[in-house]
Amino acid sequence: MRVPRIDLHAHSSASDGTATPTELVERAHRAGLDVVAITDHDTVSGWAEAIGAAQRLGIGLVPGIEVSTTWYGRSVHMLAYLPDPANEALAAELQRTRAGRESRAREIVTRISADYPLDWDAVEQLALGRTVGRPHIADALVEQGLATDRYDAFDRILHPRHGYTVPVPAPSPVDAVQLIRAAGGVPVLAHPGTVSPERVVPRERLEQFVDAGLFGLEAHHPENHPEAVPLLVQLAVDFGIDIVGGSDWHGSGKSNELADGLTAPDVLERLLDEATGSQPVNLG
Ligand code: AMP
Ligand code: FE
Ligand code: FE
Ligand code: ZN
């Protein structure tokens, strides 16, 4: 029997992906995935379109969000599956973060413009109606001939080491986990092993997330360091939480391909059992 292929992390043009929600679902279908999640940064604005496409194609869809959080000055991403998008506390927090992202992006552009001929209008055009992020600033830099692609823009300009980037103002991961659970959603710590095997989420911090209601760790992610994966799996076992996988596909905005990270079917089943905020498509 074939094991269903389940990718629980992908972005559309509702945030910093390059494909529309419809294209995302079509690509997932063509890639032979049985289930895909749409997890744009801090927004549910791609959900309706993705749901329509999944219904037409008969592919499983898990609506989600990649929620921005800050932990001791560092950015931490928290995936939220199937929360109630109408939950007032969650909607208000996402709204605050999106507004904060805009002020932050303006600040980054102001700093960059001291050294490069870049203005806010160019970025605003590219980010219109989307959750704005550094990838849109990267795209503007490419458009102006100041970088060759997003990777080059991050390497030379947008990485925090260059001093132009400021953090996204966002809630703590503990607050986010509680907010997501209160909205009936299922929280998963995104790509916790990307920095280095020595820098996977520390045990005592993870304990706080688990106490708050964390469902699992995204151990299977193309950017997790290979040596971090067994450590993450062990942490999940020790804390009795689940192991999730996703590709973090951003269309042509990143080299990650759909299915580069997969979730086991029994994990998806438990996730669906715990989710009470909204309905998946073509599942159960
Ligand atoms: P932001 O949310 O504005 O801090 O931007 C983070 C986003 O930028 C991530 O979600 C990725 O989509 C993208 N990103 C981060 N690092 C890189 C990189 N080195 N090259 C290309 N894209 C990146
Ligand atoms: Fe992104
Ligand atoms: Fe992320
Ligand atoms: Zn992501």
Side-chain angles (χ1 to χ4, degrees), residues 9 11 41 66 77 190-191 248:
H9 191 161
H11 295 262
H41 298 283
E66 187 170 16
H77 287 171
H191 43 70
D248 211 354

Side-chain angles (χ1 to χ4, degrees), residues 151 251-257 260:
Y151 282 102
S252 60
K254 244 180 155 181
S255 61
N256 309 26
E257 292 296 339
D260 274 355

